């Protein structure tokens, strides 16, 4: 795999070529030379006006395998990831069976061998994700799980969460919390507020998320543990985590790309494509999330890619499943928010890997080529034809989006789009 990328603007704070226009020569999967001008008789990509950065990494990705392959399998999931600029994805354990022992971790890693996209299975905190007994976390860690979460099931038992935080300290893993107090959220489907009242639907209060964040921050402080909150969505959640960081707690968090763009007003037509969890909140919450990204309170942006077959989404809003597919649109949505390219690379490529304590690729000579080439200005239409996922549950299909991924490169493989 030899390739010459001409006149790309490098975006990588760890590279001596950061923010500089350069030619990059890749030979056998290694960046062998970076210079102002390189002339080699190899396949060449003209990249003037485009950006080159480390490949993106998704901390919250749902792929149906194991057991739910009709929604998504590893082949289609990684294809969608590569098309969205991702060269690494962390898989939640929301499968059937769940990833709660080393057998599932090893199966996924074996299935993902020789793929352009690196796979990182996240192990369950509790056995069967039931929130009762702790799963075999150390065995899963030894087999390749870097962090532990019950996925879209919040850990309601504070004692279980405390034990998990203490236990993973012994081997340097991390606990990921999906913050929701289910006793407050109940069976509601949308954000509690003006829109839920207009729709005549019971709402999920912001308090359901914020109480769980407050609880887990106290637990992390008491145990002197690291904790990561995934898909925060409210203004006060941002404030709680900001205060936790100010106090010196070992806390990080991420936000789903669609929660940076959409508000609960999108639900006025009862379109189940907009049914997600945490639910779409208010414009005030969206503004706080964007501000949290800019000031460093929020560390990463995730796709929260959640594929579903048509029979689970093209139904009445009340019974439809939560979630949208997001791997191919996360970068475009981050641009739509108005975030600068350098900050997007930090939130999509660099910080997610730091959170999982895995090596961050760099655009330097001698480094393995783990890269994404993208345009911040180019527009593309997201269609059913160019959707790489097995599922189609995205409200953005049929829309023109800004920000186009042109090429991904990793593991001596290249995909061009």
């Amino acid at each position: 795999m030899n390739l010459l990328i001409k006149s790309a603007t490098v975006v990588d704070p760890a590279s001596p070529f950061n923010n500089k226009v350069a030619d990059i020569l890749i030979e056998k999967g290694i960046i062998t030379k970076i210079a102002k001008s390189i002339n080699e008789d190899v396949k060449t990509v003209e990249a003037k006006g485009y950006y080159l950065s480390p490949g993106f990494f998704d901390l919250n990705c749902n792929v149906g395998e194991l057991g739910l392959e009709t929604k998504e399998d590893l082949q289609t999931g990684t294809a969608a990831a590569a098309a969205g600029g991702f060269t690494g994805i962390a898989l939640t354990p929301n499968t059937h069976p769940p990833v709660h022992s080393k057998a599932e971790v090893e199966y996924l890693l074996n299935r993902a061998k020789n793929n352009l996209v690196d796979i990182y299975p996240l192990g369950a905190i509790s056995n069967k994700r039931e929130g009762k007994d702790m799963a075999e976390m150390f065995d899963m860690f030894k087999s390749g799980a870097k962090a532990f979460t019950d996925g879209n099931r919040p850990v309601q038992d504070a004692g279980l969460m405390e034990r998990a935080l203490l236990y993973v300290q012994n081997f340097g893993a991390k606990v990921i919390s999906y913050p929701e107090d289910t006793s407050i959220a109940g069976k509601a489907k949308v954000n509690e507020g003006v829109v839920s009242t207009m729709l005549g639907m019971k709402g999920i209060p912001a308090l359901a998320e914020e109480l769980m964040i407050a609880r887990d921050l106290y637990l992390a402080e008491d145990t002197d543990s690291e904790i990561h909150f995934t898909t925060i969505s409210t203004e006060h959640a941002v404030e709680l985590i900001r205060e936790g960081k100010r106090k010196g707690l070992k806390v990080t968090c991420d936000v789903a790309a669609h929660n940076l763009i959409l508000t609960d007003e999108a639900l006025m037509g009862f379109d189940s494509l907009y049914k997600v969890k945490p639910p779409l909140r208010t414009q005030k919450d969206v503004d706080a999330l964007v501000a949290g990204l800019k000031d460093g309170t929020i560390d990463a942006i995730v796709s929260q890619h959640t594929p579903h077959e048509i029979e689970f989404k093209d139904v009445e809003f009340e019974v439809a499943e939560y979630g949208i597919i997001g791997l191919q649109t996360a970068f475009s949505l981050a641009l739509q928010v108005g975030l600068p390219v350098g900050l997007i690379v930090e939130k999509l490529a660099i910080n997610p890997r730091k959170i999982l304590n895995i090596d961050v690729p760099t655009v330097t000579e001698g480094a393995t080529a783990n890269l994404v080439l993208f345009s911040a200005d180019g527009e593309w239409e997201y269609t059913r034809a160019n959707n790489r996922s097995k599922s189609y549950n995205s409200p953005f299909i049929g829309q023109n989006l800004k920000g186009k991924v042109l090429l991904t490169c990793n593991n001596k493989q290249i995909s061009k789009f």
Side-chain angles (χ1 to χ4, degrees):
M1 184 200 77
N2 297 337
L3 180 70
L4 177 60
I5 300 174
K6 298 282 289 183
S7 303
T9 300
V10 175
V11 185
D12 177 11
S15 171
F17 296 90
N18 187 36
N19 294 324
K20 296 179 181 178
V21 176
D23 293 357
I24 298 93
L25 179 63
I26 301 169
E27 296 179 295
K28 297 180 180 178
I30 303 295
I31 301 172
T32 56
K33 188 176 181 181
I34 305 177
K36 188 172 183 179
S37 180
I38 301 173
N39 294 303
E40 290 282 343
D41 187 20
V42 297
K43 189 174 182 179
T44 301
V45 173
E46 294 293 338
K48 186 176 181 180
Y50 302 152
Y51 296 94
L52 186 76
S53 80
F56 302 151
F57 189 100
D58 191 19
L59 278 171
N60 189 317
C61 181
N62 295 282
V63 173
E65 202 161 352
L66 307 149
L68 301 171
E69 289 86 355
T70 54
K71 298 180 185 293
E72 192 88 277
D73 56 39
L74 281 174
Q75 182 178 357
T76 57
T78 54
F86 293 93
T87 57
I89 53 177
L91 302 180
T92 65
N94 307 333
T95 52
H96 185 73
V99 182
H100 64 163
S101 74
K102 66 179 183 179
E104 293 86 27
V105 173
E106 291 172 356
Y107 171 84
L108 290 170
L109 290 174
N110 186 61
R111 284 275 291 142
K113 283 181 179 177
N114 304 316
N115 199 301
L116 185 151
V117 179
D118 298 319
I119 297 296
Y120 292 85
L122 300 176
I125 293 172
S126 65
N127 187 46
K128 298 181 182 178
R129 296 198 302 135
E130 291 178 345
K132 297 177 181 178
D133 302 313
M134 205 156 58
E136 301 169 357
M137 289 193 282
F138 182 56
D139 280 352
M140 287 189 279
F141 177 78
K142 288 193 297 182
S143 294
K146 298 292 185 184
F148 298 92
T149 174
D150 272 356
N152 57 5
R153 294 182 184 175
V155 178
Q156 298 299 306
D157 188 323
L160 175 62
M161 178 60 84
E162 181 191 33
R163 291 190 294 276
L165 288 168
L166 288 169
Y167 186 62
V168 298
Q169 289 184 27
N170 296 311
F171 45 92
K174 184 165 289 186
V175 168
I176 298 176
S177 170
Y178 167 56
E180 182 187 76
D181 187 316
T182 56
S183 67
I184 292 177
K187 296 181 180 180
K189 310 294 183 182
V190 300
N191 177 58
E192 182 181 82
V194 173
V195 171
S196 66
T197 302
M198 293 176 65
L199 296 176
M201 299 180 70
K202 184 176 174 58
I204 301 173
L207 182 65
E209 178 175 313
E210 295 153 4
L211 268 183
M212 189 63 81
I213 289 176
R215 184 203 76 174
D216 287 351
L217 284 173
Y218 275 121
L219 291 175
E221 182 177 20
D222 185 66
T223 58
D224 192 28
S225 301
E226 295 183 8
I227 191 165
H228 178 80
F229 293 100
T230 189
T231 61
I232 68 168
S233 67
T234 77
E235 179 185 24
H236 191 50
V238 178
E239 294 172 357
L240 287 167
I241 293 168
R242 184 181 289 120
E243 177 62 15
K245 289 190 172 189
R246 190 193 64 78
K247 291 170 63 177
L249 302 186
K250 303 169 187 175
V251 56
T252 53
C253 65
D254 65 55
V255 60
H258 51 261
N259 281 101
L260 298 171
I261 290 293
L262 301 170
T263 70
D264 53 3
E265 292 184 3
L267 303 174
M268 293 302 292
F270 290 98
D271 187 344
S272 62
L273 288 176
Y274 293 99
K275 185 180 180 181
V276 293
K277 206 170 189 183
L280 300 178
R281 304 287 188 179
T282 67
Q283 188 61 52
K284 192 176 180 182
D285 295 306
V286 169
D287 293 342
L289 293 169
V290 174
L293 282 168
K294 291 179 177 178
D295 69 17
T297 302
I298 301 176
D299 302 271
I301 299 171
V302 299
S303 75
Q304 203 187 19
H305 181 79
T306 308
H308 288 298
E309 306 93 328
I310 188 171
E311 58 265 31
F312 289 97
K313 292 296 281 187
D314 191 16
V315 291
E316 292 84 357
F317 190 92
E318 281 283 341
V319 299
E321 293 287 343
Y322 296 103
I324 67 174
I325 54 173
L327 285 167
Q328 287 181 244
T329 56
F331 167 62
S332 293
L333 297 186
L335 275 174
Q336 188 175 329
V337 172
L339 302 177
V341 168
L343 188 64
I344 291 173
V345 170
E346 177 188 330
K347 306 298 184 181
L348 276 179
I350 297 169
N351 286 355
R353 290 181 170 93
K354 288 182 178 179
I355 289 166
L356 285 191
N357 296 316
I358 59 180
D359 292 338
V360 179
T362 59
V363 186
T364 55
E365 292 181 351
T368 299
N370 184 334
L371 310 166
V372 57
L373 179 69
F374 59 87
S375 165
D377 299 317
E379 293 190 358
W380 62 291
E381 184 183 3
Y382 188 27
T383 66
R384 292 177 70 91
N386 60 25
N387 172 50
R388 302 300 179 97
S389 173
K390 186 178 286 188
S391 296
Y392 298 93
N393 54 303
S394 169
F396 303 107
I397 290 179
Q399 293 188 21
N400 288 317
L401 301 174
K402 185 179 179 181
K404 182 171 177 57
V405 171
L406 304 166
L407 177 150
T408 48
C409 174
N410 188 32
N411 294 331
K412 300 181 181 181
Q413 301 174 55
I414 296 174
S415 287
K416 294 179 68 177
F417 308 100

